[in-house]
Amino acid sequence: MIICLCNAMSDGDVRAAVAAGAARPKDVYACCGGRAQCGCCTATVLQILREAPTAANGA
Ligand code: FES
């Protein structure tokens, strides 16, 4: 599902960026070859970041 219309970025793209080490929305946009524009997707990107398994949250 597309979550960022400005960068044509899907939830799968965001999860792949997080798996590759993106830790902040800025990192996610950069990893997907874009940048924050309107900001409408930031809450969703943050939610995916918070839900992602990381070493910091016990994964
Ligand atoms: S929808 Fe993601 S920056 Fe606009």
Side-chain angles (χ1 to χ4, degrees), residues 22-36 42 45-46 49:
R24 298 173 300 172
K26 177 182 174 181
D27 303 331
V28 172
Y29 297 118
C31 193
C32 294
R35 62 183 176 82
T42 304
V45 170
L46 281 169
L49 278 165

Side-chain angles (χ1 to χ4, degrees), residues 11-44:
D11 59 326
D13 294 330
V14 174
R15 290 181 210 288
V18 173
R24 298 173 300 172
K26 177 182 174 181
D27 303 331
V28 172
Y29 297 118
C31 193
C32 294
R35 62 183 176 82
Q37 295 180 55
C38 74
C40 290
C41 61
T42 304
T44 305

Side-chain angles (χ1 to χ4, degrees), residues 18 40 47 50 57-58:
V18 173
C40 290
Q47 181 181 354
R50 286 190 198 109
N57 66 17

